[in-house]
Amino acid sequence: MPNSFTPQVAGDLNYLKSLNRSTILSTVRRSPGLSRADIALQTGLTKATVGSVVQALSEGGWLREGELHSRGGGRPGRALYLDGDRHYMLGAEVGVKGLRLVACNLVGEILASLHQEVSPTTPEATATRLAELLVQLRQDPALGGRSCLGLGVSVPGPVSPRAPILRLAPNLGWTDIDFLALLREQPDLPGGVWLLDNEANAAAFGEFYFFDGVPPESIAYISADIGIGCGVVSGEHFPVVPRGYQGLVGEIGHTVIQPGGAFCHCGNRGCAETLVSGWALREALNVEPEASLSAAVQARADEEAVQALIQRAGEALGLLMLNLHHTLNPSMLILGGSLMRLEARLIEPALAYFHDHQNDLLRKSQSVPIKIIEDSTFTAARGAAAQVMARAAIEV
Amino acid sequence: MPNSFTPQVAGDLNYLKSLNRSTILSTVRRSPGLSRADIALQTGLTKATVGSVVQALSEGGWLREGELHSRGGGRPGRALYLDGDRHYMLGAEVGVKGLRLVACNLVGEILASLHQEVSPTTPEATATRLAELLVQLRQDPALGGRSCLGLGVSVPGPVSPRAPILRLAPNLGWTDIDFLALLREQPDLPGGVWLLDNEANAAAFGEFYFFDGVPPESIAYISADIGIGCGVVSGEHFPVVPRGYQGLVGEIGHTVIQPGGAFCHCGNRGCAETLVSGWALREALNVEPEASLSAAVQARADEEAVQALIQRAGEALGLLMLNLHHTLNPSMLILGGSLMRLEARLIEPALAYFHDHQNDLLRKSQSVPIKIIEDSTFTAARGAAAQVMARAAIEV
DNA sequence: CAACTTAGTTAACAGTTTTTACTAATCAGC
DNA sequence: GCTGATTAGTAAAAACTGTTAACTAAGTTG
């Protein structure tokens, strides 16, 4: 059964080696502390192969040896971990409200970060500013002695699945921008893998790749911000983000859940975004773009109309979660984005709606775990960095 | 980039060989008539490798040589085709209205078929009856001299992604049925690959795998029958059907598109199925289960209420297609199922809604091709057979 | 402290694709 | 009709992969 590491066309011995190296790396990523013997058992490879691959990966700065741990009799195994001290990846989010940058290591720890809360203007000016910030970030002493694997950039709109091109960013007014090409014209940027992806996809990838705990089978990450997007990830050793033919997978903010409802900026009516999204709530509450939405809601929390508005938004979010479940059926739902700052006011009605409207199909199954990310400031940037690591790992 | 043929864990030389054999087979399936040199060019393998693999595949009854075709100067290449004369696959659909069986060859041609239009009763009795029909089908002289690669069975409900178990078939009243195990108790059945899958998934796979013409990048097959289901397929050489954590991918009939709308048999309200589905229309029109829905609609075509009902159903279908597009974004939509017998009455409003409610994201792209299958009697059965072939091809 | 058990390494091995050289078959031009 | 150029396909040697089998290393247990 092929997955996301099957070669584009056919495989040679190089591909085979790369495949097994990546599988071993991923096995350690998902279960830190395994010994060579454990890895051989889990992957089906022989001890000999695992031994030689682990040696190569250690020399390359990907793995490090840890403590011994004995299990009953016999020689104790040497624990293996991803080496967090020798490489790092850069991740950046070009968001509607500003630029956010991180540098993180192989275990997903953020070593250094920057953010500038000023809305981007033109693509060119944004690329210039981002390049400056990247140079600044790379001078952070926390990165000393490490080598850079590459750069991932996330953007607020669908990216073409066949080329790293931003197709449309409605909230920036950008269309068909080859942002990486603009960035490449800037000085002093690192080499390595360069990637561009949608914000929700990048965030979803990062939450899946660097999942803290027993990794889920698949996730859907709902990004509730100015607009509503969604990224999906699945795949044990080689996580795959389905993008669809035009990069529109997960554009759930523009699924219609109220036919004939309010007009949406997309040109349609009754989209989910007209009920639950940063722009819809700001519009309904007359909140200026610079002001804080959550603060405005907090301030007017006594007004019944405001309560009803947020309640309806939460229910719409719950309905979206249900529909998503019947269409993509992930094993875990993750909610993130700045709308999470509305906290229980929004989240409780969403969860209540989700649980109260389960149908027979869902009731038969165990309930879907839902994880909420309160602060997703660097989620997308870190996710973009994670994508760089995943790509670099198969290109070692 | 891995896909659906990446091994479960890691790969050895056997896996590599199997991968390349499958890739070559798939290359010929997608472009019949290629020469060994063409294949080498397309796959990146060397002529030597392609030559030896093609020889093995020819001896195994998978490929046959065709005519010579010269392109300009030089020795002409020998055209290669899938061999339709030496193997066949069995496919069966356990449907709400009866059993349908096909035997088809490697190019997707139906060599023999059977159908029995009697609703299944118990799983045991159905397995017995299906086994009898399979024995009868295999005696068809059109299958003479061929060997059987295996059997695929499609069922009207979600199948667990981790085991071939039918989880729930609401319209049959079946729950958690290991149908293949029941079938295995029957005498005189073939060996080889045995598979169980959801009806919409099987149909989608078949339409993708045996696509007539230039193969699309991905498809969503909407099965509009008693209920509404949907199967998704993508992947060039190794088509993948996403199933989700509980096999609920594509259960779009139970996405809510009218909050607070009519009650659905699933226990929820406002599901798409309450507006467009065989059961909803039959209920609204008081059509007996044995009678023909399309005939009833035809007979009462003058009534305004009937026209409005079908119009609303078509619009709901169009809305489902739009939402699907914003969630899964396939490169082609295929509509099938018995509801297609309502023809223009249903299809025209669906297409009109779909085209009239495109938003900016979609308008930027070229429009999605939509293919309509008027007669999908054997679509799911043939699709199940296609899945057998795909599996057998990687296990050769 | 000897026997046992498990972890990890080493060298010979089997099997894969590639490389290189070759043969086969057709076309173009004289 | 022949020669040379060109492309298709094959054969044997080479390079590289993971496996096998034997070994060493390092603990625990009696």
Side-chain angles (χ1 to χ4, degrees):
Chain A
M1 304 295 91
N3 62 21
S4 89
F5 196 65
T6 319
Q8 215 61 8
V9 278
D12 57 7
L13 293 169
N14 273 328
Y15 162 74
L16 188 58
K17 179 138 206 182
S18 169
L19 169 71
N20 287 340
R21 192 171 38 217
S22 296
T23 302
I24 287 173
L25 211 46
S26 154
T27 305
V28 176
R29 171 176 59 83
R30 292 167 56 90
S31 317
L34 292 183
S35 67
R36 290 163 177 80
D38 296 331
I39 296 172
L41 216 67
Q42 282 199 22
T43 60
L45 295 166
T46 60
K47 289 191 298 175
T49 305
V50 172
S52 75
V53 171
V54 164
Q55 189 184 351
L57 286 171
S58 300
E59 285 165 5
W62 289 84
L63 291 180
R64 66 175 176 84
E65 296 196 322
E67 77 290 355
L68 288 171
H69 45 72
S70 54
R71 283 189 288 264
R75 173 175 168 179
R78 178 68 69 177
L80 295 170
Y81 298 93
L82 289 183
D83 191 335
D85 295 331
R86 297 183 53 190
H87 297 300
Y88 70 92
M89 303 83 69
L90 293 169
E93 176 184 5
V94 177
V96 177
K97 288 188 225 135
L99 301 176
R100 294 160 181 181
L101 295 81
V102 301
C104 71
N105 64 10
L106 299 191
V107 292
E109 290 164 354
I110 294 179
L111 303 170
S113 64
L114 279 177
H115 58 126
Q116 172 188 298
E117 301 289 325
V118 171
S119 295
T121 53
T122 66
E124 291 76 15
T126 307
T128 306
R129 184 70 190 120
L130 178 58
E132 291 165 4
L133 291 171
L134 282 168
V135 169
Q136 184 185 330
L137 182 71
R138 292 187 69 197
Q139 286 164 351
D140 193 299
L143 304 181
R146 289 178 164 86
S147 79
C148 179
L149 294 175
L151 166 67
V153 179
S154 94
V155 286
V159 168
S160 162
R162 276 162 293 281
I165 305 228
L166 171 60
R167 298 180 69 243
L168 181 69
N171 296 310
L172 293 177
W174 296 4
T175 309
D176 292 318
I177 304 296
D178 188 347
F179 193 76
L180 293 185
L182 295 176
L183 210 54
R184 251 182 254 280
E185 292 170 8
Q186 305 297 323
D188 302 323
L189 290 181
V193 174
W194 281 39
L195 298 175
L196 186 80
D197 205 351
N198 173 271
E199 177 263 332
N201 285 344
F205 191 91
E207 291 308 301
F208 186 82
Y209 199 72
F210 289 136
F211 192 84
D212 190 13
V214 180
E217 190 261 354
S218 57
I219 65 157
Y221 174 92
I222 298 182
S223 164
D225 224 288
I226 314 278
I228 302 280
C230 167
V232 190
V233 200
S234 65
E236 191 174 2
H237 292 297
F238 303 101
V240 182
V241 181
R243 288 149 210 288
Y245 189 57
Q246 295 136 328
L248 300 182
V249 165
E251 286 291 334
I252 57 172
H254 299 288
T255 55
V256 175
I257 59 174
Q258 200 177 48
F263 282 98
C264 178
H265 63 83
C266 77
N268 207 348
R269 303 178 64 165
C271 295
E273 277 195 9
T274 61
L275 292 164
V276 53
S277 68
W279 71 260
L281 293 179
R282 278 169 187 276
E283 199 159 276
L285 296 171
N286 265 313
V287 181
E288 299 296 315
E290 306 82 44
S292 159
L293 174 64
S294 54
V297 170
Q298 177 77 37
R300 296 169 57 184
D302 291 339
E303 298 179 28
E304 263 184 41
V306 173
Q307 289 168 7
L309 183 76
I310 307 296
Q311 169 84 18
R312 271 201 308 275
E315 288 170 2
L317 183 57
L319 193 155
L320 265 185
M321 288 158 61
L322 268 179
N323 282 356
L324 197 58
H325 207 264
H326 284 117
T327 319
L328 294 166
N329 194 27
S331 80
M332 175 179 278
L333 281 169
I334 302 182
L335 301 180
S338 62
L339 242 48
M340 292 305 115
R341 285 206 282 266
L342 297 178
E343 300 176 333
R345 283 189 188 86
L346 182 80
I347 294 167
E348 272 185 9
L351 296 183
Y353 193 99
F354 184 75
H355 287 118
D356 295 347
H357 292 76
Q358 308 257 323
N359 65 14
D360 297 344
L361 286 172
L362 290 180
R363 261 195 293 272
K364 253 187 67 66
S365 333
Q366 59 191 40
S367 66
V368 198
I370 298 172
K371 179 177 167 178
I372 289 158
I373 300 183
E374 280 99 8
D375 179 5
S376 29
T377 311
F378 292 113
T379 305
R382 192 180 73 140
Q387 290 183 309
V388 169
M389 171 173 163
R391 175 70 66 86
I394 68 178
E395 287 182 358
V396 168
Chain B
M1 305 294 94
N3 60 24
S4 87
F5 196 64
T6 320
Q8 218 59 9
V9 278
D12 58 6
L13 290 169
N14 271 330
Y15 161 75
L16 188 59
K17 179 146 205 180
S18 169
L19 169 71
N20 287 341
R21 191 172 40 215
S22 295
T23 304
I24 288 173
L25 211 47
S26 155
T27 306
V28 176
R29 171 175 59 84
R30 292 168 55 92
S31 316
L34 292 182
S35 68
R36 289 164 177 79
D38 295 329
I39 296 172
L41 216 69
Q42 284 199 20
T43 60
L45 296 166
T46 61
K47 288 192 297 174
T49 305
V50 173
S52 74
V53 171
V54 164
Q55 190 184 350
L57 287 172
S58 300
E59 285 165 4
W62 290 83
L63 292 180
R64 66 176 176 83
E65 296 196 321
E67 76 290 353
L68 289 171
H69 46 71
S70 53
R71 285 188 288 264
R75 171 176 168 178
R78 179 67 71 177
L80 295 169
Y81 297 94
L82 289 182
D83 191 335
D85 295 332
R86 295 183 54 191
H87 296 301
Y88 71 91
M89 301 81 71
L90 293 169
E93 177 185 3
V94 176
V96 177
K97 289 190 224 134
L99 301 175
R100 294 161 181 179
L101 294 82
V102 301
C104 71
N105 65 10
L106 300 189
V107 292
E109 290 162 354
I110 294 179
L111 302 170
S113 65
L114 280 177
H115 58 128
Q116 171 188 300
E117 300 291 322
V118 170
S119 296
T121 53
T122 66
E124 291 75 15
T126 307
T128 306
R129 184 70 190 122
L130 178 58
E132 290 166 4
L133 291 171
L134 281 168
V135 171
Q136 183 184 335
L137 183 71
R138 291 187 72 198
Q139 285 164 352
D140 193 299
L143 304 181
R146 289 177 162 87
S147 79
C148 180
L149 294 175
L151 165 67
V153 179
S154 94
V155 286
V159 168
S160 162
R162 276 162 291 281
I165 308 242
L166 170 60
R167 298 180 69 243
L168 181 69
N171 296 309
L172 293 178
W174 297 4
T175 309
D176 293 317
I177 305 295
D178 188 346
F179 193 75
L180 294 186
L182 295 178
L183 211 53
R184 252 183 252 280
E185 293 171 8
Q186 305 297 322
D188 302 322
L189 290 181
V193 174
W194 280 39
L195 299 174
L196 186 78
D197 204 352
N198 175 270
E199 177 263 334
N201 285 344
F205 190 91
E207 292 308 301
F208 186 81
Y209 199 72
F210 289 137
F211 193 83
D212 191 13
V214 180
E217 190 261 351
S218 56
I219 66 159
Y221 174 91
I222 298 182
S223 164
D225 224 287
I226 312 278
I228 302 278
C230 166
V232 191
V233 199
S234 66
E236 192 173 2
H237 291 297
F238 303 100
V240 183
V241 180
R243 288 150 208 286
Y245 189 58
Q246 295 136 326
L248 299 182
V249 166
E251 287 290 335
I252 57 173
H254 299 288
T255 56
V256 174
I257 59 176
Q258 200 176 46
F263 283 98
C264 178
H265 63 80
C266 76
N268 208 347
R269 302 177 65 164
C271 296
E273 277 195 10
T274 62
L275 293 164
V276 54
S277 68
W279 71 260
L281 293 179
R282 280 170 187 274
E283 199 159 274
L285 296 170
N286 263 310
V287 181
E288 299 296 316
E290 306 81 42
S292 158
L293 173 64
S294 55
V297 170
Q298 177 77 34
R300 296 169 57 183
D302 291 340
E303 298 179 28
E304 261 184 43
V306 173
Q307 289 168 8
L309 182 77
I310 307 294
Q311 169 83 20
R312 274 201 306 276
E315 287 170 0
L317 182 58
L319 192 154
L320 265 187
M321 288 158 61
L322 269 179
N323 281 358
L324 196 58
H325 206 267
H326 283 116
T327 318
L328 294 167
N329 194 26
S331 80
M332 174 179 277
L333 281 170
I334 303 183
L335 301 180
S338 63
L339 243 50
M340 293 302 116
R341 286 206 282 268
L342 297 177
E343 298 175 337
R345 280 189 190 89
L346 181 81
I347 296 167
E348 271 186 11
L351 296 182
Y353 192 97
F354 184 75
H355 286 119
D356 295 347
H357 291 77
Q358 308 258 323
N359 66 12
D360 296 346
L361 286 171
L362 290 180
R363 264 197 290 273
K364 257 187 63 68
S365 334
Q366 60 190 36
S367 65
V368 199
I370 299 172
K371 179 176 165 181
I372 289 158
I373 301 182
E374 281 99 5
D375 179 6
S376 30
T377 311
F378 293 114
T379 306
R382 193 179 75 139
Q387 290 184 307
V388 169
M389 172 172 161
R391 174 69 67 86
I394 68 178
E395 288 183 357
V396 167

